[in-house]
Amino acid sequence: MEIDIQTLIFQFIGGLGVFLLGIKYMGDGLQKIAGDSLRDILDKFTRNPFMGVLAGIVVTILLQTSTGTTVLTIGLVNAGFMKFRQAIGVIMGANVGTTVTAFIIGIDISAYSLPIIAVGCFMLYFFKNIKVNNIGQTVFGFGAIFFGMDLMSSGMSPLRSLEAFQELTVSMSQSPILGVVIGTVFTMIVQSSTATIGVLQGLYGQGAMGLDAALPVLFGDNIGTTITAVIASLGASVAAKRAAYTHVIFNLVGALVGLILLGIFTQYVAYLQGQFNLNPEMTIAFSHGSFNIANAIIQFPFIGALAWIVTKMVPGEDAIVEYKPKHLDPIFIQQSSTLALDQAKSEVIRMGEYAYKGLEETNLYLTTQQQKHSETATQIEGALNNLDRKITEYLIAISAESLSELDSSNHTALMDMVRDFERIGDHFENILELIDYKITNKVYLTEQAQEDLNNMFDLTILTVKQAVETLNSSDREDALAVIQKEDQIDKMERNYRKKHIIRMNEGLCSGSAGIVFVDIISNLERIGDHAVNIAEEVLEE
């Protein structure tokens, strides 16, 4: 009997491993085929809650994980790309989209799993074309899902005759809450609701479990899948936390409604099974699909109430970093190029404000080593990149119109300034990476070195801030003050570099500390150069 249990455990965990690998490979392959369109789908098609639900379904089918969609949504909410209310629809859609994998498993093609894996491998290893590789990865994952499922089913088949397991399934039939708890805990451990449903399909397919015991486990799996989203929201913005808690409440309410209507739901599933002559795996797939669709339909009208409850649970302001431009209205381009350029300038000023905020957060990360400052600065850098793209596109659209000599000059200046602000973002991103290296490798900087960095940071932040104010006011004196400050930054960089070499020669600083210090002041000096470029553009006006 020992050998049987060992075989059972080995086949089950091995099968589960191959199954999870299959889901990951298939999801990653589909994601690569789709490219950046996943983010675009969520960004463009979430204007109203119904479109959000559809976007959630589509993205989850491509990602092969509702958790992945929810985490992606939390990232977009955290970055200011999406409002919290928009995210609720996406989360509802993700719950529906995740049922597709169960339907795929319900198709009985496990006999062909190994040839499918072989085809996927050939496409991965014998072709240099990236598209073919991505399709190969998807095909390999598809085959691995069925092969893993087959291994799990073989491993689980002796459970039918195991007395302890029979007693457990009887207990689950009599006490559905036990089934919910088991489903929740197992999904939390495996971090995949699809895997739990796969195991459930295997057990039910082997006759080791009845429908009345299997359905509560299915409800529990929906609760367990929310844990990853909650983990992803830790340390994130208020809106991102709200999105994660919405996922929890939505699935908890669904499980509660499912338990209350368990008798009716069991009869409905049994009717479907008889009516369409469904195999056991497909029966669980239909149960999962019906439950999640019904849950979304029931709770859809209450999106407003759900948002209100979660807002009360997580008070505070929404996203601090708005990725999207606020002033770039295309209507101005047709009406007046001058007005459109004014709009673009307002957006460039907003971009400049982000640039010095990002610098401030980078400095705070250096002094406090608190991760939240690094995350905020990284978000700001992402916002700068996005604004760079959007403003440049807007300016290109303006250049298609006939411009006066003055407008043409302003247009060129704005194009240059957008690039300067974007480069400032790149430089403080470099500094963030250097601080990460310093923390990870426990690089020690002397008090003097730390003080020098803070002094240079303060002056650089002040210079960038004044450059943005100069752009806003077009004040020549302010512009000259920026040039003067940048001259001080250059002198400071040369002076601090010499002082640091002396400290290294005296053995006060290590070589790695020297690299970190010199690279940080070098990036700050370049930021100063970009601030001067902006001031010079103002002087040329």
Side-chain angles (χ1 to χ4, degrees), residues 66-105:
S66 61
T67 304
T69 306
T70 310
V71 169
L72 187 63
T73 305
I74 284 167
L76 289 170
V77 170
N78 196 38
F81 257 115
M82 191 187 287
K83 297 284 183 228
F84 162 57
R85 280 176 75 100
Q86 291 172 304
I88 298 175
V90 178
I91 289 163
M92 287 183 172
N95 268 28
V96 176
T98 194
T99 64
V100 170
T101 316
F103 282 101
I104 292 168
I105 294 163

Side-chain angles (χ1 to χ4, degrees), residues 77-315:
V77 170
N78 196 38
F81 257 115
M82 191 187 287
K83 297 284 183 228
F84 162 57
R85 280 176 75 100
Q86 291 172 304
I88 298 175
V90 178
I91 289 163
M92 287 183 172
N95 268 28
V96 176
T98 194
T99 64
V100 170
T101 316
F103 282 101
I104 292 168
I105 294 163
I107 305 160
D108 189 18
I109 56 166
S110 54
Y112 305 100
S113 59
L114 289 172
I116 292 168
I117 288 171
V119 169
C121 282
F122 284 130
M123 291 174 86
L124 268 170
Y125 290 101
F126 294 104
F127 290 90
K128 297 244 184 299
N129 188 300
I130 291 170
K131 278 187 180 176
V132 176
N133 289 164
N134 293 340
I135 294 166
Q137 189 174 342
T138 307
V139 171
F140 174 85
F142 185 70
I145 286 172
F146 287 101
F147 184 58
M149 193 70 211
D150 206 32
L151 280 173
M152 277 198 292
S153 294
S154 304
M156 289 184 289
S157 60
L159 286 174
R160 282 178 301 183
S161 53
L162 208 65
E163 201 177 322
F165 190 78
Q166 285 172 348
E167 285 171 13
L168 178 65
T169 53
V170 169
S171 302
M172 282 158 67
S173 303
Q174 290 167 350
S175 173
I177 291 170
L178 178 64
V180 173
V181 170
I182 288 169
T184 303
V185 171
F186 186 61
T187 309
M188 280 181 175
I189 293 166
V190 181
Q191 294 276 293
S192 167
S193 59
T194 309
T196 314
I197 296 294
V199 172
L200 205 57
Q201 284 173 299
L203 286 168
Y204 186 61
Q206 291 293 338
M209 183 182 277
L211 201 58
D212 50 357
L215 293 179
V217 177
L218 189 143
F219 303 155
D221 122 85
N222 268 22
I223 299 169
T225 195
T226 63
I227 191 71
T228 317
V230 172
I231 291 165
S233 75
L234 296 176
S237 71
V238 167
K241 282 193 178 76
R242 285 175 184 164
Y245 290 152
T246 302
H247 195 204
V248 176
I249 292 170
F250 176 70
N251 285 10
L252 272 173
V253 170
L256 194 62
V257 171
L259 281 174
I260 292 164
L261 303 174
L262 183 60
I264 298 165
F265 189 59
T266 308
Q267 285 174 351
Y268 158 78
V269 173
Y271 170 77
L272 279 182
Q273 190 175 22
Q275 200 69 18
F276 297 105
N277 196 24
L278 301 174
N279 67 27
E281 288 82 6
M282 199 56 97
T283 304
I284 295 295
F286 268 88
S287 310
H288 192 212
S290 301
F291 172 68
N292 282 16
I293 290 166
N295 190 20
I297 291 168
I298 290 165
Q299 294 196 56
F300 185 78
F302 304 105
I303 282 179
L306 197 56
W308 182 82
I309 290 164
V310 176
T311 305
K312 291 290 176 193
M313 282 173 65
V314 188

